[in-house]
Amino acid sequence: MSTSPAGPPPPADGLVSAARRNLRELAHGLSHASHPSTPLLAGAPKPWQRMLPYVVVLALTATFIPVTINVLTTQYDVPGALAGALGVAQAAPLLMLAHRPLQAWWIIFPADIAGALVLARSTGPGALWPWTAPALIAYLFLLLALGLRETRRTVVGVWMVTAAAGAALHLIAPDRAADSALLLSILGAVVLVIGAAVRERGEATRRLAEQETISEAERARRTLLEERTRIARELHDVVAHHMSVITVQADSAPYRISGLSEPAQEEFASIAAAARESLGEMRRLLSVLRSDGTEGDRAPQPGLDRLQQLVEATVRAGLPAELSLAAELGEVPPAVDLSAYRIVQEALANVVRHAPGARTQVSVRAAAGHLNVLVVNGPAPKPAAPLESAGTGHGLVGMRERVRLTGGTLDTGPLPDGGFRVAARMPLPPAMSPSAPPPSENL
C-alpha cells in the first residue's frame, strides 16, 4: 500500500512552533544578560563620570532600605524582623544596578511578590497593594537600568512578567484594590521606553564614531596607496630613461667602436635585448598602476637642477624663500634626486597653505655620504586663515614614503617660535659622495 508524501504542516502547528520559539527566546533573554558585567559609563573620559553610577546606586540603596522597612512597619503593621528582611531583599540589590541590573531583577522581583503576599492580609486604610510606594519607585529605577543595558526583547519580557504578576496577585486577592499594579504597568512601560531610547541612541552614536574612525583609516590608507603609486610612476620615468640610454648605447656600440670581436658584439646585443625586455616589463607594470583614463607625464622628471626655478616661482607667489644649494653635490642617484625635489616642493606648498608670508629657508647639502635637505619656515607675519582649508592633510605621507624608498630618514615638527621644520637625510652611494675618497686601483 503506497503512502502519499506528507504535506506542509497545518497553519496551527506553525503558529504553535513560532510561539514556542518566541517563548524560548524570551526565557533566554530573561535568564542571560545581553552585556558583560562592565559598569555603566565605564568608558567615560573623566573619573567622576565613571564613579557616578556607583554613587547613585549607593544613594538609592541607602534611601530605600530604611524607607521600605519604616513603611512596612507603620502602614502595614508588618513585624519588625519580617519588615527588615523584606526591606533588605527589595532594596539591597539596587547596588547591582550599575553593572548587573538583570541579576538584580531576579532578586527584587521575587522579593516584591513575597512582600505582596505578606501584605495581602493588611487592612490598612488606603494602603497601596500589591506594591508598596517604596517598592514601586525602586522598581522603576530597576526598569530604567534594564532599559539602558538590556535588549528590547528582554525589557519587553520583564514588563510582561511584571504585568502578569500584578494580574495574578489581583486574582489571588480580588477583594483588594490592585491600583499599584496598574500604575506600575503604565509607568514601567514609559520608563522602559525612555531607557531603551537612550540606549539605542548611545549605540547609534558609538557605531557612527566607529564608522568615522574606520573611514578615516581607510582614507589615510587610500592616500598612502595613491602616493606610492605616484612615486612608482615617477620612478618608472627616471629608470626608463636610463634603461633607454643603455639600450641605445648597447645597440650602437658595434658602429661606434671599431674592431669589436664577434663575442663582444654578441654581448652588446644581449645587453640591449635585456634592457628592452626590462623596459617592456616596466611598461606593463605601469599600465596596472595607472588609473583608468590617465596617461603618463611626457615631461622629464624634475631634480635638484630645477630647485632654483621652484624657489623663484614660490617667491613670485608671495613667499619670501631663500635657497642654499651646495655647488658640488656630486652625482646624485635618480631616486634621491627626484625625492629631494619633491620634498622641497611639498614643504614649500605646505608653507604657502598654512603659513602664508612666512620667511622660509631651503638648504641642500651633501655630507658624510648623505644628502641633507632642510626646509625651515618661521611663523606667519600675521594671523590668517589657511589659503586652502580642504586639503587632505596627508602631505607628509608622500615625504615619508619617498625618504623610506631611498633608505633615509625624515624629521618633521613645529618649532618653538611657531614655525615648522622638514629635514630629510638620504644616503648617497660612497662612489657618488663628494667627500668619499677615490677608489684605489690595483695595478
Side-chain angles (χ1 to χ4, degrees):
M1 183 176 64
S2 61
T3 58
S4 59
D13 293 346
L15 293 177
V16 172
S17 299
R20 289 177 179 175
R21 183 175 63 255
N22 291 331
L23 286 177
R24 285 195 300 268
E25 293 176 355
L26 180 61
H28 183 272
L30 292 177
S31 59
H32 295 79
S34 61
H35 63 88
S37 59
T38 54
L40 192 66
L41 302 180
K46 298 181 179 179
W48 70 266
Q49 294 175 338
R50 295 192 292 270
M51 291 298 298
L52 183 61
Y54 295 102
V55 174
V56 171
V57 298
L58 184 61
L60 289 176
T61 305
T63 300
F64 279 105
I65 288 179
V67 170
T68 302
I69 296 174
N70 181 66
V71 168
L72 290 175
T73 55
T74 58
Q75 296 185 14
Y76 295 91
D77 298 328
V78 178
L82 182 57
L86 289 175
V88 171
Q90 292 177 355
L94 294 176
L95 289 171
M96 304 168 61
L97 295 188
H99 56 290
R100 296 180 183 273
L102 186 60
Q103 289 83 340
W105 178 78
W106 297 344
I107 302 174
I108 293 177
F109 180 64
D112 287 348
I113 294 179
L117 294 176
V118 170
L119 301 181
R121 299 179 180 180
S122 174
T123 57
L128 288 176
W129 190 84
W131 322 120
T132 64
L136 189 150
I137 298 174
Y139 202 85
L140 291 178
F141 280 105
L142 173 61
L143 293 180
L144 179 61
L146 287 171
L148 292 174
R149 301 300 296 273
E150 295 298 330
T151 62
R152 185 178 302 178
R153 178 184 289 110
T154 301
V155 296
V156 169
V158 167
W159 181 84
M160 292 175 59
V161 172
T162 303
L169 289 172
H170 178 67
L171 294 177
I172 293 174
D175 56 326
R176 299 295 305 270
D179 297 336
S180 61
L182 179 61
L183 183 61
L184 180 58
S185 299
I186 297 174
L187 295 180
V190 174
V191 169
L192 287 175
V193 169
I194 294 174
V198 173
R199 177 182 59 82
E200 292 178 359
R201 178 180 175 84
E203 291 181 354
T205 304
R206 178 180 54 80
R207 286 195 297 267
L208 180 61
E210 292 177 354
Q211 187 62 40
E212 290 177 351
T213 302
I214 295 173
S215 300
E216 180 62 26
E218 288 294 328
R219 191 158 46 246
R221 180 175 176 272
R222 184 171 62 251
T223 301
L224 178 61
L225 293 177
E226 291 175 354
E227 186 63 28
R228 287 178 176 176
T229 302
R230 188 166 71 91
I231 293 172
R233 292 198 300 262
E234 293 179 354
L235 287 180
H236 162 269
D237 297 337
V238 173
V239 177
H241 168 72
H242 292 278
M243 295 295 293
S244 299
V245 172
I246 294 173
T247 304
V248 172
Q249 289 178 340
D251 281 333
S252 62
Y255 305 100
R256 293 182 292 103
I257 305 174
S258 59
L260 285 178
S261 62
E262 188 68 25
Q265 294 182 15
E266 293 178 357
E267 186 67 22
F268 278 116
S270 176
I271 293 174
R276 280 192 293 270
E277 184 178 357
S278 298
L279 277 174
E281 292 292 338
M282 289 179 61
R283 290 191 179 99
R284 282 192 290 271
L285 176 62
L286 186 66
S287 65
V288 177
L289 294 178
R290 294 197 189 280
S291 302
D292 294 338
T294 61
E295 296 183 358
D297 297 333
R298 300 186 183 274
Q301 293 297 337
L304 294 174
D305 57 339
R306 292 176 57 182
L307 278 183
Q308 185 65 41
Q309 301 176 18
L310 175 63
V311 173
E312 290 175 356
T314 306
V315 172
R316 288 194 297 270
L319 185 72
E322 298 179 2
L323 172 64
S324 176
L325 181 63
E328 295 295 335
L329 292 175
E331 188 176 357
V332 181
V336 176
D337 191 36
L338 174 61
S339 296
Y341 178 88
R342 293 302 189 193
I343 289 171
V344 174
Q345 184 183 42
E346 181 63 31
L348 292 177
N350 286 339
V351 177
V352 173
R353 294 188 191 103
H354 304 292
R359 298 198 64 84
T360 306
Q361 297 285 338
V362 180
S363 174
V364 180
R365 293 283 186 271
H370 287 80
L371 183 69
N372 299 318
V373 180
L374 180 65
V375 182
V376 179
N377 67 275
K382 58 181 179 179
L387 296 182
E388 295 182 10
S389 58
T392 60
H394 298 289
L396 297 179
V397 173
M399 297 186 192
R400 293 192 180 95
E401 285 300 304
R402 292 182 184 278
V403 172
R404 189 180 66 84
L405 177 68
T406 62
T409 58
L410 180 69
D411 180 24
T412 62
L415 298 175
D417 62 352
F420 200 83
R421 174 177 179 269
V422 175
R425 190 168 185 264
M426 293 172 283
L428 297 173
M432 296 182 181
S433 174
S435 61
S440 60
E441 297 181 359
N442 297 325
L443 300 178

